[in-house]
Amino acid sequence: MTSPDFLLLRAARREPTERTPVWLMRQAGRYLPEYREMRRRFGFLELCRNSEAAAEVTVQPVERLGVDAAILFADILLVVEPLGVGLEFALGEGPVIRRPLRSDGEIARLKPFDVESAVGFVFDTVRKARRALGDRVPLIGFAGAPFTVASYLVEGGPSRDYLYVKRLMYGEPEAWHRLMEVLVDVTARYLGGQIAAGAHAVQLFDSWVGALGPDDYRAFVLPYTRALVRALPPGVPVIHFGTGTAGLLPLMREAGGDVIGLDWRVDLDAGWRAVGHDVAVQGNLDPAALLAPPALIRERVKGILDRAAGRPGHIFNLGHGVLPDTPVEHVKAMVDFVHELSDRR
Ligand code: CP3
């Protein structure tokens, strides 16, 4: 089956496009009334495991907003549940790992598992979402990058300073490296399964890697992210995203990816220079800007497009996910502004 020449895929290859493609991280989520309606019927994990419902949630923002891509509805932590760490999504708290990994002994006991039988429901969601989307827009699959997934496994949940992670890295480096090897292997098979099921592109979320300085990134993260990117089938664009990464951008680029995600703490043109113009970039409106009046949103969208300066290889997105309190009309207005202001026909 040949895919239509989707704007997003052309931009990822740095080919000229008639307008800048736009989608939003967390575009399927709590700010959308139709998502909240689904959540009245299903718990979060239950919704992820129900491929019919998850495919429906994947498509909702495409219909509501007119974005140029859909992102698979799932979570970065689903794939590590079979490690037996006690994953739960506590109400209003985000993910919790009941039995965090803090020592070499615990990490050495991790058992390999079959990804297809553990998270085959995610691959079913990809197939169903592809069918529902038809040729409208491409479908982006995703996974957590090894560092960010490891940070949940070791900290037990979100963290401010990542002190358990750093203690493990510095104090038991062998254990850290062993854990990262497990995650590279599992994540390569997880993304490989999504691609085989029909994902047109994949995004690696290294959301919390900005907690590290460049030397630690080089020693403890870069080799693993690079191994993961190299293990993926060629021809499917990889978007490599993190936040708080202004000081890490050249290293993230070295690790790999066809598109580097920029958060809002860096000017788009400066970020693009830092990663090099021979790679595409994605970003980078502050998610909080969507709480502002539409006139200001329009100004900010224009500012980002001006910094991209019509150079091929820009995918418009937020610098991180949509915040739950965001008015839907503002999100829709932003998508329309990108379409209007980037029109090159
Ligand atoms: O982007 C999308 O629309 C696709 C779906 C998606 C979810 N999680 C659904 C979700 C994606 C791409 C993710 C990735 C994810 N999950 C990341 C990386 C992206 C990022 O934000 O940095 C991370 C760190 C996680 C872990 C996670 N899952 C957290 C921190 C939370 C709680 C915070 C929050 O927003 O509630 C979740 C739960 C979660 N994952 C929700 C959704 C829609 C909210 C659950 C609910 O409905 O109550």
Side-chain angles (χ1 to χ4, degrees):
M1 190 169 71
T2 58
S3 306
D5 222 4
F6 293 121
L7 285 179
L8 179 103
L9 301 181
R10 279 157 55 204
R13 294 192 296 261
R14 289 182 299 112
E15 294 167 11
T17 51
E18 53 275 26
R19 57 179 174 73
T20 302
V22 52
W23 67 281
L24 298 87
M25 292 180 272
R26 292 289 176 96
Q27 65 189 17
R30 283 164 301 179
Y31 77 100
L32 267 189
E34 52 271 43
Y35 174 80
R36 291 198 299 271
E37 175 59 36
M38 276 294 214
R39 284 282 278 104
R40 276 194 279 278
R41 291 161 49 203
F42 302 100
F44 176 67
L45 280 174
E46 202 187 344
L47 178 53
C48 291
R49 291 197 187 99
N50 181 328
S51 59
E52 200 73 49
E56 194 180 324
V57 171
T58 301
V59 178
Q60 281 171 353
V62 173
E63 302 192 327
R64 166 79 79 142
L65 306 170
V67 283
D68 297 302
I71 180 160
L72 166 70
F73 186 81
D75 196 82
I76 62 166
L77 296 175
L78 295 175
V79 72
V80 293
E81 204 187 12
L83 293 177
V85 291
L87 170 67
E88 286 170 28
F89 283 84
L91 211 63
E93 270 190 67
V96 179
I97 302 285
R98 294 289 168 206
R99 292 177 291 282
L101 304 170
R102 301 266 166 90
S103 71
D104 196 17
E106 288 157 327
I107 291 167
R109 277 196 298 277
L110 295 176
K111 291 199 186 49
F113 60 89
D114 178 44
V115 169
E116 175 68 45
S117 53
V119 288
F121 57 88
V122 173
F123 307 148
D124 291 337
T125 303
V126 170
R127 281 184 282 269
K128 287 176 185 165
R130 274 290 307 263
R131 212 171 304 138
L133 290 167
D135 282 348
R136 282 183 285 174
V137 294
L139 177 64
I140 302 170
F142 72 91
F147 173 83
T148 289
V149 174
S151 79
Y152 280 100
L153 294 177
V154 173
E155 295 290 331
S159 171
R160 206 159 65 106
D161 299 317
Y162 295 90
L163 297 183
Y164 288 111
V165 165
K166 291 183 183 182
R167 247 188 226 124
L168 186 69
M169 279 178 174
Y170 303 147
E172 297 192 77
E174 300 282 297
W176 174 262
H177 291 298
R178 197 196 304 274
L179 175 59
M180 292 295 271
E181 274 167 20
V182 169
L183 293 175
V184 169
D185 175 63
V186 165
T187 311
R189 287 185 284 134
Y190 184 44
L191 287 174
Q194 294 178 30
I195 291 166
H200 292 97
V202 292
Q203 176 154 325
L204 270 180
F205 282 97
D206 216 350
S207 305
W208 310 136
V209 78
L212 299 182
D215 284 336
D216 286 340
Y217 185 89
R218 248 183 232 107
F220 296 108
V221 177
L222 193 152
Y224 300 102
T225 302
R226 174 152 53 198
L228 171 59
V229 172
R230 289 186 177 168
L232 300 177
V236 176
V238 175
I239 307 169
H240 182 186
F241 166 80
T243 72
T245 54
L248 299 177
L249 288 172
L251 295 172
M252 286 177 66
R253 195 274 148 92
E254 223 180 283
D258 303 278
V259 183
I260 305 294
L262 303 174
D263 84 354
W264 68 95
R265 297 172 185 89
V266 61
D267 285 331
L268 186 119
D269 48 347
W272 208 341
R273 258 195 319 277
V275 295
H277 290 135
D278 52 347
V279 72
V281 293
Q282 175 174 281
N284 68 342
L285 183 71
D286 184 342
L290 293 181
L291 306 176
L296 188 138
I297 298 173
R298 190 173 192 279
E299 220 171 275
R300 295 297 172 91
V301 166
K302 182 164 186 316
I304 289 167
L305 291 171
D306 286 348
R307 288 183 190 279
R311 187 192 297 279
H314 176 218
I315 297 168
F316 201 103
N317 204 313
L318 301 180
H320 202 175
V322 184
L323 300 165
D325 290 335
T326 308
V328 187
E329 321 79 70
H330 289 196
V331 182
K332 171 81 177 111
M334 185 213 90
V335 171
D336 291 345
F337 292 145
V338 175
H339 286 166
E340 172 207 330
L341 295 167
S342 71
D343 196 334
R344 290 181 276 277
R345 280 166 306 174

